[in-house]
Amino acid sequence: MIVILLYLQAKYLVEMDNLKIRIEVDQELYSKNPALSDLGKKILSSSIELIVELGFEKFTFKKLGEVINSPESSIYRYFKNKHILLIYLTSWYWSWIEYNLVFATINIKSSKERLLKSIDILTKPMSECQQISSMNVSLLSNIIISESLKSYHTNKVDEENKKGYFRAYKLVVQRISDIILELKPDFQYPHMLVSTIIEGVHHQKYFAEHLPSLTDINKENNTIENFYKEMALNFIK
Amino acid sequence: MIVILLYLQAKYLVEMDNLKIRIEVDQELYSKNPALSDLGKKILSSSIELIVELGFEKFTFKKLGEVINSPESSIYRYFKNKHILLIYLTSWYWSWIEYNLVFATINIKSSKERLLKSIDILTKPMSECQQISSMNVSLLSNIIISESLKSYHTNKVDEENKKGYFRAYKLVVQRISDIILELKPDFQYPHMLVSTIIEGVHHQKYFAEHLPSLTDINKENNTIENFYKEMALNFIK
DNA sequence: GCGTATATGATAGTAATACTATTATATTTG
DNA sequence: CAAATATAATAGTATTACTATCATATACGC
């Protein structure tokens, strides 16, 4: 969900292109809103760093507590467990992407151009220095690439899906699907194409770094953007 | 790796279309070859069932031991830990798929037809009753869809990749990439296209069952096969 | 048939994980 | 200034992911 708050209490807001915005995450995803306290923000920013450093399996609330100098019990007051924290982080990320999609495409008339712009946003690396309310977006995007699959590949998917935990991701897929349908109203597979592209982008980035024989980027002038742009346009055409 | 053993000791072999075959898994992936003992086979078949039932996170060697009435220490003699067991299972699966690819395409002259046949094999569900040397292939394919990502999304990927743990998967990707290159020798992204299709197939099957708003199958006459066949042909053409 | 190797069973133990609970102290707010 | 709230400090529990040891059963070579 994207919430644009104008002239609200300054401390909860972020200056960005002169627009004051806050990314709001579904209440179900925290026991206590981490965006509203210093400790909460420290939990968010340090958990991102620590998950990147250790990988999600080796990451624990105990270790996080040591990093931020707080007992693990304090972290449990914000998040029921590390799995919910991961869903919180991915949810935040997808809302952030949705915000970027909306603002990057708002003045583009051609739906083809809007689709291409959307693929840009899905593929382009986040700038290193983007830090939106205690979230290091560049590091967070590494987590999305390496770990976000684990947020919904569990035996609780169905239950958690009912509670709306994956809404932010779905909204992004829906938004881009709508652009595709504008471009070609009788296209049969808009959601499949979009989710194939999104997951594909993550896989290809991961493969490029860890299993290069499964991809072709790094060869010649191949890029992930071009691959998925060509793929989408050839398919829809 | 596909090893075809003719007239070898009958107990290690499987009758299939009058061909005696055994799927061989890389030695690095077990401490003791589970294909060569009753206990080993029981470990394999019951672990498949238990992982499907519990999900990989909740699956433990202790629980498996209770199911097969053996102490966990006996299971540890075959597999260093459950993560290695998962890699063993996925490796076995990909070698099995490679075998199917080879035999299904061997007499097809047209490379386009061979590509389509390959996509068939990647997308078609395994028949319920296929049981190759203690492996229930249909159940195993559920594990591939839901859990196989976890075999290489860990902080040990690079190390394990060096040891060749993911070779079976890479061979499948390579084999289909070669077909694509026959079809269009200057195609820039054969590996990317194949790995996008393979991972995409798994995601779409998973979404269809758990997160249907991310896909379009179940609507009209949409099928995963047709989606990826159209996608591939439109892209390559 | 006998001794030896090998496979499995039975049992115990350990450090880490994923929590839950309780009490104390500091800070904010009304 | 009192009351509510947030955090710290500490302890405790069941489960997990192993490792180790010793006993027993079976198979195999001579």
Side-chain angles (χ1 to χ4, degrees):
Chain A
M1 253 159 302
I2 296 173
V3 178
I4 301 177
L5 304 165
L6 294 167
Y7 306 108
L8 213 84
Q9 283 175 272
K11 63 172 172 171
Y12 304 148
L13 298 180
V14 174
E15 196 70 39
M16 196 221 163
D17 289 344
N18 291 328
L19 243 184
K20 292 173 198 304
I21 64 147
R22 169 159 67 117
I23 303 294
E24 189 131 307
V25 175
D26 200 320
Q27 292 197 8
E28 298 263 334
L29 291 175
Y30 49 78
S31 313
K32 183 175 186 171
N33 194 333
L36 303 183
S37 74
D38 286 348
L39 181 61
K41 287 182 208 162
K42 240 169 34 176
I43 290 172
L44 291 178
S45 60
S46 297
S47 68
I48 291 174
E49 287 165 17
L50 202 55
I51 291 172
V52 169
E53 186 189 332
L54 302 176
F56 188 65
E57 280 72 31
K58 295 291 169 196
F59 167 84
T60 68
F61 279 1
K62 183 135 189 258
K63 291 172 187 166
L64 176 59
E66 280 157 24
V67 170
I68 64 174
N69 266 303
S70 283
E72 31 170 0
S73 52
S74 294
I75 302 167
Y76 278 104
R77 267 187 233 109
Y78 285 89
F79 296 103
K80 233 173 27 215
N81 51 56
K82 71 173 182 172
H83 175 238
I84 298 290
L85 169 61
L86 180 63
I87 299 181
Y88 179 99
L89 293 175
T90 57
S91 241
W92 190 97
Y93 178 86
W94 288 117
S95 294
W96 167 244
I97 290 290
E98 195 193 1
Y99 168 82
N100 279 273
L101 283 173
V102 172
F103 277 76
T105 60
I106 201 157
N107 280 323
I108 302 177
K109 294 265 162 54
S110 146
S111 40
K112 180 179 168 186
E113 288 309 315
R114 280 193 291 135
L115 176 59
L116 292 176
K117 191 76 196 169
S118 300
I119 296 179
D120 265 342
I121 287 171
L122 295 176
T123 51
K124 287 270 169 64
M126 297 284 169
S127 106
E128 294 274 336
C129 51
Q130 258 176 358
Q131 184 93 19
I132 315 294
S133 50
S134 73
M135 311 288 272
N136 179 325
V137 187
S138 166
L139 277 184
L140 179 56
S141 74
N142 290 336
I143 294 177
I144 300 302
I145 291 168
S146 303
E147 317 286 0
S148 69
L149 294 159
K150 297 166 191 168
S151 69
Y152 58 83
H153 274 92
T154 71
N155 57 353
K156 291 187 182 168
V157 222
D158 298 328
E159 188 191 317
E160 296 185 337
N161 183 34
K162 263 188 210 146
K163 291 192 197 151
Y165 287 9
F166 310 111
R167 181 154 43 222
Y169 183 36
K170 292 177 186 177
L171 286 173
V172 168
V173 171
Q174 187 56 51
R175 200 173 274 283
I176 306 179
S177 295
D178 289 342
I179 298 176
I180 291 176
L181 285 177
E182 277 176 42
L183 197 67
K184 186 170 181 185
D186 64 334
F187 187 65
Q188 286 190 303
Y189 316 102
H191 303 85
M192 279 176 98
L193 180 54
V194 174
S195 59
T196 295
I197 292 174
I198 291 179
E199 299 297 343
V201 167
H202 299 158
H203 277 108
Q204 298 303 321
K205 286 185 179 185
Y206 192 82
F207 292 158
E209 199 173 336
H210 301 291
L211 299 161
S213 60
L214 299 179
T215 187
D216 304 286
I217 67 171
N218 307 333
K219 289 178 206 156
E220 296 152 42
N221 296 320
N222 292 352
T223 66
I224 295 181
E225 292 127 85
N226 290 340
F227 176 82
Y228 286 106
K229 281 179 183 175
E230 278 188 51
M231 192 189 94
L233 292 182
N234 286 338
F235 197 170
I236 296 171
K237 156 241 68 195
Chain B
M1 253 159 304
I2 295 175
V3 178
I4 301 176
L5 305 165
L6 293 169
Y7 305 110
L8 213 85
Q9 284 176 273
K11 63 173 172 169
Y12 304 147
L13 299 179
V14 175
E15 198 66 43
M16 197 222 162
D17 289 345
N18 290 329
L19 244 183
K20 293 173 196 305
I21 64 148
R22 170 159 66 116
I23 303 294
E24 190 129 307
V25 175
D26 200 320
Q27 292 197 9
E28 297 264 335
L29 291 175
Y30 49 78
S31 313
K32 183 175 186 170
N33 194 334
L36 303 184
S37 74
D38 286 349
L39 181 61
K41 288 183 208 159
K42 240 170 33 175
I43 290 172
L44 291 178
S45 60
S46 298
S47 68
I48 291 174
E49 287 166 18
L50 202 55
I51 291 172
V52 168
E53 186 188 332
L54 302 176
F56 188 65
E57 280 72 31
K58 295 291 169 195
F59 167 84
T60 69
F61 280 0
K62 182 133 188 260
K63 291 173 189 167
L64 176 58
E66 280 156 24
V67 169
I68 64 173
N69 266 304
S70 283
E72 29 169 2
S73 53
S74 294
I75 302 166
Y76 278 104
R77 275 191 214 103
Y78 285 88
F79 295 103
K80 237 179 17 221
N81 52 55
K82 71 173 182 172
H83 175 237
I84 300 289
L85 169 60
L86 180 63
I87 299 181
Y88 179 99
L89 293 175
T90 57
S91 242
W92 190 97
Y93 179 86
W94 288 117
S95 294
W96 168 243
I97 289 290
E98 195 192 1
Y99 167 82
N100 278 273
L101 282 172
V102 172
F103 277 76
T105 59
I106 203 158
N107 280 324
I108 303 177
K109 293 264 164 54
S110 146
S111 41
K112 180 179 167 186
E113 287 309 314
R114 281 193 291 134
L115 176 59
L116 292 176
K117 191 76 195 168
S118 301
I119 296 179
D120 265 342
I121 287 171
L122 295 176
T123 52
K124 286 271 169 63
M126 299 283 170
S127 104
E128 294 274 337
C129 50
Q130 257 176 358
Q131 184 93 20
I132 315 294
S133 51
S134 72
M135 311 288 271
N136 179 326
V137 186
S138 166
L139 277 184
L140 179 55
S141 74
N142 290 337
I143 293 178
I144 300 302
I145 291 168
S146 303
E147 316 286 0
S148 69
L149 295 159
K150 297 166 190 169
S151 69
Y152 57 83
H153 272 93
T154 70
N155 58 353
K156 291 187 181 166
V157 221
D158 298 328
E159 187 190 318
E160 296 184 337
N161 183 36
K162 263 187 209 146
K163 292 190 198 152
Y165 288 8
F166 310 112
R167 182 154 43 224
Y169 182 36
K170 291 178 187 177
L171 286 173
V172 168
V173 170
Q174 188 56 52
R175 200 173 275 282
I176 306 179
S177 295
D178 289 343
I179 299 176
I180 291 176
L181 285 176
E182 278 177 41
L183 197 68
K184 187 171 180 184
D186 64 334
F187 187 65
Q188 287 190 304
Y189 317 102
H191 303 84
M192 279 176 98
L193 180 54
V194 174
S195 59
T196 294
I197 292 174
I198 290 179
E199 298 298 342
V201 167
H202 298 158
H203 277 108
Q204 298 303 320
K205 286 186 178 182
Y206 191 82
F207 291 158
E209 197 173 338
H210 300 291
L211 299 160
S213 60
L214 299 179
T215 188
D216 304 286
I217 67 171
N218 306 334
K219 289 179 206 157
E220 296 150 42
N221 297 320
N222 292 351
T223 66
I224 294 181
E225 292 126 84
N226 290 340
F227 176 82
Y228 286 106
K229 283 180 182 173
E230 278 188 50
M231 193 189 92
L233 293 182
N234 286 339
F235 197 169
I236 295 170
K237 158 237 65 198

